């Protein structure tokens, strides 16, 4: 991807010092080479301190009564909502809903907006590179309603084929659901163009920003998207907290997806009136300390600067492509580094991904193997599994070198010629 304006490079030693897990040996004594941030990112001290600080000094339930702690923790939670609003440049914090993660957020859109708006015969457009979280909820909805799933065409090098966009996005399209950054190919998709195409036929667009949020500055107004989701844990925040951004007019019109406490204004014997936004979509006790951790994580990446993080990861991606390509039998899937984020998925001829993963892991190198929750994509790639290396702010060229050395050692061990 473009690294934008020239910025001072980040102080990688200072960054790495922030992540306790990177500074202690693994149980087998090896240095941890963490190349699995696409699955979940490690947590900096600042996030850990914020979570512990919440539990140790002001933890209580939120939005319940007016106790000193209750008020303080409720204010802190709402301050995080405002922080997320600013991070996404949403026009109101009422458009920011806390969920447990991207998966739940996408299911909320399907269960609430989808059931209310998609009719039999309508079409839901997805892409071949979607994570199952942005595919199966639409399949469930389509089955229930009698709607149809359509795929946008993809080029051989793993980009959406925009020249054939109108084959899939038509007057029958009700919804376009697309990832901003593929969790396997690394492809960065042109969200604004897709939003324009969806809106031109009266459809809405849902963006899965689970992979892009830690790497690309995201402006929901500039992108002109209707819904956008992400998970805190890929952005250096704790697990269990995620975000659903929704355009206010849609959220106002949608029924609540789940019922329970906090999402009601009044409850009668046989009916209820929902609470105003955002509470309407937040049934039950939210992940409180996790949300506080998300606020600290947003501060953390904002302090470093997403532009600087993107430039750092882009340089690593270019370097890793160069190094990996020189290995015999290694095939990288997806576009060139100029068109992708810091994710590199590959296979090595003659070696099962599982075996490579095992041998790398023994040397302290954490990557991921398998279909990465993208079975339809792997079918198109013609392989059952790939190895994926994915970068975070803390990775270095030495990590890439360790991966290359680890792969060379694995080749020897597997007696590949
Ligand atoms: N979408 C993409 C592109 C992902 O990579 C992931 C997780 O790997 C998800 C959605 C699901 O995220 P979560 O499991 O945090 O809900």
């Amino acid at each position: 991807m473009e690294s934008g304006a020239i910025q001072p490079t980040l102080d990688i030693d200072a960054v790495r010092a922030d992540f306790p897990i990177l500074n202690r040996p693994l149980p087998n004594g090896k240095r941890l080479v963490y190349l699995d941030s696409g699955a979940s990112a490690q947590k900096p001290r600042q996030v850990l301190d914020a979570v512990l600080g919440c539990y140790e000094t002001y933890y209580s339930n939120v939005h319940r009564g007016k106790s000193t702690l209750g008020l303080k923790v409720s204010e802190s939670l709402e301050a995080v909502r405002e922080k997320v609003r600013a991070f996404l440049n949403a026009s109101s914090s009422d458009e920011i809903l806390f969920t447990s993660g991207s998966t739940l957020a996408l299911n909320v859109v399907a269960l609430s907006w989808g059931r209310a708006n998609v009719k039999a015969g309508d079409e839901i457009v997805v892409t071949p590179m979607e994570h199952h979280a942005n595919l199966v909820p639409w399949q469930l909805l389509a089955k229930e309603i009698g709607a149809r799933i359509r795929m946008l065409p993809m080029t051989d090098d793993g980009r959406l084929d925009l020249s054939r966009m109108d084959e899939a996005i038509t007057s029958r399209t009700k919804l376009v659901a697309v990832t901003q950054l593929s969790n396997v190919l690394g492809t960065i998709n042109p969200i604004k163009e897709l939003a324009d195409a969806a809106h031109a036929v009266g459809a809405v667009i849902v963006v899965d920003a689970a992979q892009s949020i830690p790497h690309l500055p995201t402006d929901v107004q500039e992108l002109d998207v209707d819904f956008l989701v992400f998970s805190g844990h890929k952005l250096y925040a704790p697990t269990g907290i995620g975000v659903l951004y929704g355009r206010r007019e849609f959220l106002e019109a949608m029924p609540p997806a789940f019922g329970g406490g906090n999402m009601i204004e009044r409850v009668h014997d046989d009916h209820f009136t929902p609470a105003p936004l955002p509470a309407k979509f937040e049934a039950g006790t939210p992940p409180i300390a996790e949300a506080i951790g998300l606020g600290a994580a947003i501060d953390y990446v904002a302090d470093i600067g997403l532009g600087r993080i993107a430039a750092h990861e882009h340089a690593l991606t270019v370097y890793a492509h160069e190094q990996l390509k020189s290995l015999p039998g290694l095939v990288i899937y997806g576009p060139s580094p100029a068109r992708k984020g810091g994710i590199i998925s590959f296979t090595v001829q003659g070696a099962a991904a599982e075996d490579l993963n095992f041998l790398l892991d023994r040397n302290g190198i954490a990557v991921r193997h398998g279909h990465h929750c993208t079975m339809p994509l792997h079918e198109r790639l013609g392989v059952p599994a790939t190895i994926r290396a994915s970068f975070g702010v803390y990775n270095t060229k030495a990590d890439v070198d360790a991966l290359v050395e680890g792969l060379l050692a694995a080749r020897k061990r597997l007696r590949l010629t």
Side-chain angles (χ1 to χ4, degrees), residues 146 182 211 244 275 341 378 380 391:
S182 159
Q211 290 293 337
L244 166 59
H378 276 75
R380 278 173 179 76
F391 299 126

Side-chain angles (χ1 to χ4, degrees), residues 217-236:
T218 304
D219 182 327
V220 290
Q221 295 190 70
E222 198 176 293
L223 293 172
D224 199 19
V225 296
D226 303 305
F227 297 100
L228 181 138
V229 309
F230 73 87
S231 303
H233 69 95
K234 296 187 200 276
L235 183 68
Y236 312 104

Side-chain angles (χ1 to χ4, degrees), residues 151-172:
M151 288 274 170
L152 274 168
M154 191 174 81
T155 62
D156 289 343
D157 69 342
R159 288 174 298 119
L160 295 180
D161 188 349
L162 294 189
S163 68
R164 294 173 55 205
M165 194 157 54
D166 49 10
E167 285 173 27
I169 302 178
T170 70
S171 56
R172 288 186 298 279

Side-chain angles (χ1 to χ4, degrees), residues 62-332:
V62 287
H63 307 138
R64 312 265 199 286
K66 302 255 181 277
S67 68
T68 306
L69 293 185
L71 285 173
K72 159 89 174 133
V73 79
S74 300
E75 268 167 29
S76 303
L77 185 80
E78 292 313 311
V80 174
R81 198 186 304 277
E82 171 54 26
K83 218 166 259 189
V84 176
R85 183 209 66 74
F87 190 60
L88 298 180
N89 192 32
S91 55
S92 160
S93 58
D94 285 350
E95 297 181 319
I96 305 300
L97 313 178
F98 290 129
T99 70
S100 63
S102 304
T103 302
L104 188 75
L106 289 162
N107 277 278
V108 166
V109 181
L111 290 173
S112 174
W113 185 89
R115 278 183 175 164
N117 291 281
V118 179
K119 305 275 175 288
D122 286 344
E123 293 183 351
I124 297 167
V125 174
V126 295
T127 83
M129 63 182 90
E130 294 314 313
H131 187 283
H132 297 161
N134 199 25
L135 182 57
V136 178
W138 311 122
Q139 292 175 344
L140 286 167
L141 177 70
K143 187 156 185 227
E144 179 182 320
I145 303 268
R148 219 179 125 204
I149 304 287
R150 294 281 304 260
M151 288 274 170
L152 274 168
M154 191 174 81
T155 62
D156 289 343
D157 69 342
R159 288 174 298 119
L160 295 180
D161 188 349
L162 294 189
S163 68
R164 294 173 55 205
M165 194 157 54
D166 49 10
E167 285 173 27
I169 302 178
T170 70
S171 56
R172 288 186 298 279
T173 308
K174 205 67 190 208
L175 175 99
V176 176
V178 61
T179 184
Q180 189 169 16
L181 199 160
S182 159
N183 67 317
V184 174
L185 305 169
T187 315
I188 296 171
N189 286 321
I191 297 302
K192 178 70 171 77
E193 272 124 300
L194 291 162
D196 290 348
H199 293 152
V201 296
V204 311
I205 182 161
V206 181
V207 174
D208 175 357
Q211 290 293 337
S212 53
I213 205 79
H215 312 292
L216 305 176
T218 304
D219 182 327
V220 290
Q221 295 190 70
E222 198 176 293
L223 293 172
D224 199 19
V225 296
D226 303 305
F227 297 100
L228 181 138
V229 309
F230 73 87
S231 303
H233 69 95
K234 296 187 200 276
L235 183 68
Y236 312 104
T239 51
I241 178 75
V243 167
L244 166 59
Y245 158 80
R247 217 187 266 280
R248 179 191 276 278
E249 70 219 61
F250 290 112
L251 296 178
E252 297 277 12
M254 284 157 54
F258 304 115
N262 196 47
M263 48 69 69
I264 49 86
E265 193 156 84
R266 279 209 67 79
V267 181
H268 309 274
D269 282 0
D270 59 357
H271 70 282
F272 70 95
T273 32
L277 293 174
K280 178 179 160 187
F281 289 97
E282 293 180 354
T285 300
I288 300 165
E290 291 83 351
I292 302 297
L294 174 61
I298 289 176
D299 286 343
Y300 186 76
V301 295
D303 280 353
I304 298 174
L306 265 177
R308 194 173 294 161
I309 294 173
H312 171 73
E313 292 170 348
H314 179 63
L316 277 183
T317 308
V318 171
Y319 180 70
H321 264 247
E322 282 162 6
Q323 301 303 307
L324 288 171
K325 273 200 315 212
S326 65
L327 297 186
L330 190 140
V331 178
I332 297 177

